[in-house]
Amino acid sequence: MPDRTRALRSAADALTLIAEARIHPYEREGNAADGKTREMNLHELPWPKDELEALGNAQVRLRVTLSYFIEPNPSSRGWTGRYVYPSHGLRFAMRRPEDSVESFRRRINTRARIDGDRPPTLETEAGWLFGASQQQAAGSLHTDIWTGSAVDLASKGSIAIYPVAGWWKNRRAYDQSELGVEYSLVVSIEAPEVDIYTPVAQQISPAVVVET
């Protein structure tokens, strides 16, 4: 159940980060009817890395929520088939402990791979409550919870937001990708009685890198 108090505040050992940004889902080449995905946003979050590493293997909890508005399909084709209900879809992916920022980029963005490179594994990382089913969920509100060691969480401070299919992709005349779409990203960390809020509050606001 939503809890307004918890959603709008941070405790010393329960940190909430909120980022809002814009993304352009699809692009067009020539007279192509089907649009290709256009951008990926990479959020480099302020992260209590040293404090989490100091906790070692203590169990911590991370929750990621992505929310955005869509334009419903004006046709009568409903939810299935080529013309799906939402105008566009967005999903999130988080850096894994074994990833560098560069390998994380290559995992999500095929254009970041060198010709001939095999992509890093796309299998769901252990510890997520929903995992792959979150990526397949309908609607425009996506959330997942990760539980694991604090030392693993210390290296997970990068989140990618990327587009997936929607009816804008296949209906050129109605595609409003050029205007961009807005979304909100909420990231919450719960640690065992350790001040993770202060070191984050002292850092610079989250940076967003837009990739095509």
Side-chain angles (χ1 to χ4, degrees):
M1 296 294 291
D3 187 318
R4 178 181 174 86
T5 300
R6 292 188 64 188
L8 296 179
R9 66 181 292 271
S10 292
D13 59 354
L15 170 69
T16 298
L17 301 169
I18 301 174
E20 295 181 327
R22 180 181 292 266
I23 192 171
H24 301 81
Y26 312 118
E27 67 179 358
R28 302 287 171 177
E29 292 185 0
N31 295 319
D34 293 346
K36 295 181 179 180
T37 54
R38 175 174 173 177
E39 291 180 346
M40 176 189 85
N41 282 359
L42 181 61
H43 291 262
E44 293 280 3
L45 300 173
W47 210 243
K49 183 176 180 179
D50 293 342
E51 287 70 22
L52 290 171
E53 288 180 342
L55 286 172
N57 290 321
Q59 292 293 287
V60 293
R61 187 171 180 263
L62 165 76
R63 181 167 188 156
V64 180
T65 302
L66 173 65
S67 176
Y68 55 98
F69 290 104
I70 56 94
E71 182 180 353
N73 190 341
S75 76
S76 59
R77 293 178 181 266
W79 292 83
T80 61
R82 185 177 182 185
Y83 299 103
V84 292
Y85 181 78
S87 53
H88 61 283
L90 300 179
R91 297 294 186 271
F92 67 82
M94 198 159 198
R95 181 181 169 186
R96 302 180 182 186
E98 68 271 18
D99 280 338
S100 65
V101 174
E102 185 59 30
S103 65
F104 175 55
R105 288 177 63 246
R106 294 199 305 271
R107 184 189 307 280
I108 308 303
N109 187 355
T110 57
R111 301 183 192 181
R113 299 172 193 161
I114 301 172
D115 289 345
D117 265 4
R118 296 183 62 184
T121 177
L122 298 177
E123 294 180 359
T124 301
E125 178 193 11
W128 290 100
L129 179 61
F130 299 116
S133 61
Q134 180 269 134
Q135 303 293 8
Q136 300 168 5
S140 58
L141 179 66
H142 307 281
T143 191
D144 208 344
I145 298 170
W146 180 88
T147 304
S149 69
V151 69
D152 282 346
L153 182 59
S155 60
K156 293 175 68 67
S158 301
I159 298 181
I161 307 298
Y162 60 93
V164 294
W167 64 264
W168 277 358
K169 182 178 185 293
N170 301 305
R171 302 184 72 178
R172 182 188 183 96
Y174 297 94
D175 185 4
Q176 299 184 45
S177 293
E178 193 64 34
L179 300 176
V181 294
E182 297 179 342
Y183 63 85
S184 296
L185 178 67
V186 182
V187 180
S188 302
I189 304 173
E190 296 179 13
E193 300 181 357
V194 173
D195 184 1
I196 56 175
Y197 173 80
T198 301
V200 169
Q202 294 172 345
Q203 296 182 50
I204 302 174
S205 298
V208 181
V209 178
V210 179
E211 296 191 359
T212 58

